[in-house]
């Protein structure tokens, strides 16, 4: 697959209409205390919880291109239809843009390879990242953690379709199938239902780095990253980047579950 420079990929992206509403680029920050707590690889966090618009998150990047297209089509509110999660080839362009940011920020930190972990649901975020990173020839593996779908095979087929359509949109080759994968082990009983791993991930990330994740998406994704470090699945010779896709406002909806968990752990004999 021919490799594009960040400039040429940006040029292709610039052909799509866009409304610049997000606060970009978001920072890429080190997480040395979480890395130490886990005895793991060098850990970084890409702060897409800081994309602006109320409490930030991944939708702001997708909306830049979705709103751009709606405006270009002269759509009004009866309109233009935004698919669930903003996941279409147009929405995924926002994450092609994020892929370029990550590639350049990682290089500025002196790294050429990494593993990228994030929450996946309607798969537009993951499709944009995979398409963007493969177009750049980046040695960055994308590990999407399923936080949404009980039917994992259907979710993977959505991801493949979104990758294909996004690549066609940019007139680049579709990434190879081995790059298009989802880890289904951390969903728990269903979408939005707490898991012990999620609670632990929320606590560890807040206590070590002062960062708030959310119980539905980034908490389960972080649980996946922690499990992969502990099981030795993650390549510790390269840094791991956790993409924080936002959603921490969702913490308020889980107040009772979090209080109950805290009361239980605080009364445990070894604390
Ligand atoms: C906070 C948060 N993170 C991650 C995701 C998953 O993104 P995608 O639907 O593009 O897979 C969502 C989707 O709703 C979300 O709200």
């Amino acid at each position: 697959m021919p490799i594009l420079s960040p400039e040429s990929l940006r040029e292709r992206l610039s052909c799509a209409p866009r409304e610049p509403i997000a606060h970009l680029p978001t920072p890429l920050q080190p997480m040395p205390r979480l890395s130490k707590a886990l005895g793991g690889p060098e850990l970084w966090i890409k702060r897409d919880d800081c994309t602006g618009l109320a409490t930030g998150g991944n939708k702001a990047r997708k909306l830049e291109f979705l709103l751009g297209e709606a405006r270009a089509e002269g759509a009004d509110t009866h309109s233009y239809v935004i698919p669930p999660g903003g996941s279409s080839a147009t929405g995924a362009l926002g994450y092609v843009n994020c892929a370029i940011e990550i590639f350049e920020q990682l290089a500025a930190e002196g790294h050429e390879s990494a593993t990228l972990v994030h929450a996946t649901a309607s798969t537009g975020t993951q499709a944009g990242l995979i398409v963007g990173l493969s177009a750049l020839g980046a040695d960055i593996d994308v590990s999407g953690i399923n936080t949404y779908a009980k039917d994992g095979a259907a979710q993977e087929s959505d991801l493949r379709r979104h990758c294909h359509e996004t690549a066609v949109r940019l007139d680049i080759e579709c990434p190879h199938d081995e790059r298009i994968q989802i880890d289904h082990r951390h969903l728990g009983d269903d979408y939005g239902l707490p898991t012990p791993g999620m609670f632990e991930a929320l606590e560890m990330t807040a206590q070590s780095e002062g960062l708030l994740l959310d119980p539905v998406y980034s908490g389960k994704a972080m649980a996946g990253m922690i499990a992969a470090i502990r099981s030795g699945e993650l390549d510790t010779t390269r840094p791991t980047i956790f993409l924080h896709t936002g959603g921490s406002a969702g913490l308020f909806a889980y107040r009772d579950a979090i209080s109950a968990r805290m009361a239980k752990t605080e009364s445990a004999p070894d604390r």
Side-chain angles (χ1 to χ4, degrees):
M1 174 157 168
I3 291 175
L4 297 180
S5 66
E7 293 72 31
S8 6
L9 188 53
R10 266 204 190 96
E11 210 175 300
R12 287 182 195 225
L13 268 185
S14 70
C15 299
R18 180 171 171 188
E19 286 291 317
I21 53 170
H23 298 190
L24 303 179
T26 56
L28 179 72
Q29 297 171 335
M31 294 196 287
R33 287 161 293 269
L34 183 59
S35 179
K36 191 168 170 210
L38 290 166
E42 190 176 326
L43 294 178
W44 293 78
I45 186 158
K46 174 71 172 163
R47 298 293 307 273
D48 270 18
D49 55 322
C50 300
T51 52
L53 304 178
T55 57
N58 61 346
K59 303 302 179 292
R61 285 188 190 270
K62 296 173 175 183
L63 278 170
E64 288 203 326
F65 289 90
L66 293 162
L67 293 177
E69 187 172 74
R71 278 223 158 152
E73 289 177 6
D76 59 19
T77 53
H78 304 288
S79 72
Y80 190 80
V81 177
I82 296 182
S87 285
S88 60
T90 304
L93 295 180
Y95 272 88
V96 173
N97 189 39
C98 181
I100 304 173
E101 279 176 31
I102 291 173
F103 180 75
E104 290 183 329
Q105 288 172 323
L106 193 67
E109 296 295 341
H111 294 292
E112 285 179 354
S113 60
T115 305
L116 176 62
V117 180
H118 71 95
T120 205
S122 60
T123 74
T125 301
Q126 191 171 357
L129 290 169
I130 292 175
V131 168
L133 292 170
S134 9
L136 295 165
D139 184 10
I140 299 178
D141 296 326
V142 179
S143 172
I145 311 288
N146 177 9
T147 58
Y148 174 71
K150 286 193 101 167
D151 184 344
Q155 189 186 40
E156 286 187 12
S157 131
D158 283 348
L159 174 59
R160 271 193 296 278
R161 179 171 51 84
H162 286 135
C163 283
H164 175 74
E165 290 173 3
T166 309
V168 167
R169 182 74 192 267
L170 291 168
D171 194 20
I172 54 186
E173 259 177 56
C174 188
H176 297 299
D177 259 14
E178 68 264 16
R179 291 198 80 141
I180 306 179
Q181 280 175 16
I182 298 177
D183 180 347
H184 298 287
R185 293 170 292 177
H186 305 282
L187 174 66
D189 288 337
D190 211 338
Y191 172 67
L193 296 184
T195 61
M198 176 280 286
F199 280 125
E200 187 196 16
L202 291 191
E203 268 172 23
M204 277 192 100
T205 314
Q207 284 171 355
S208 61
E209 297 290 345
L211 289 165
L212 296 182
L213 303 176
D214 82 283
V216 180
Y217 300 99
S218 49
K220 286 186 180 174
M222 181 62 86
M225 190 193 87
I226 292 172
I229 291 174
R230 287 184 175 147
S231 67
E233 277 169 50
L234 264 189
D235 181 351
T236 48
T237 61
R238 46 163 62 193
T240 294
I241 303 169
F242 182 80
L243 170 64
H244 190 336
T245 45
S248 46
L251 279 170
F252 295 106
Y254 287 78
R255 186 188 154 146
D256 291 347
I258 292 169
S259 304
R261 153 89 185 188
M262 282 169 70
K264 208 165 132 191
T265 47
E266 272 161 21
S267 65
D270 60 341
R271 297 197 40 137

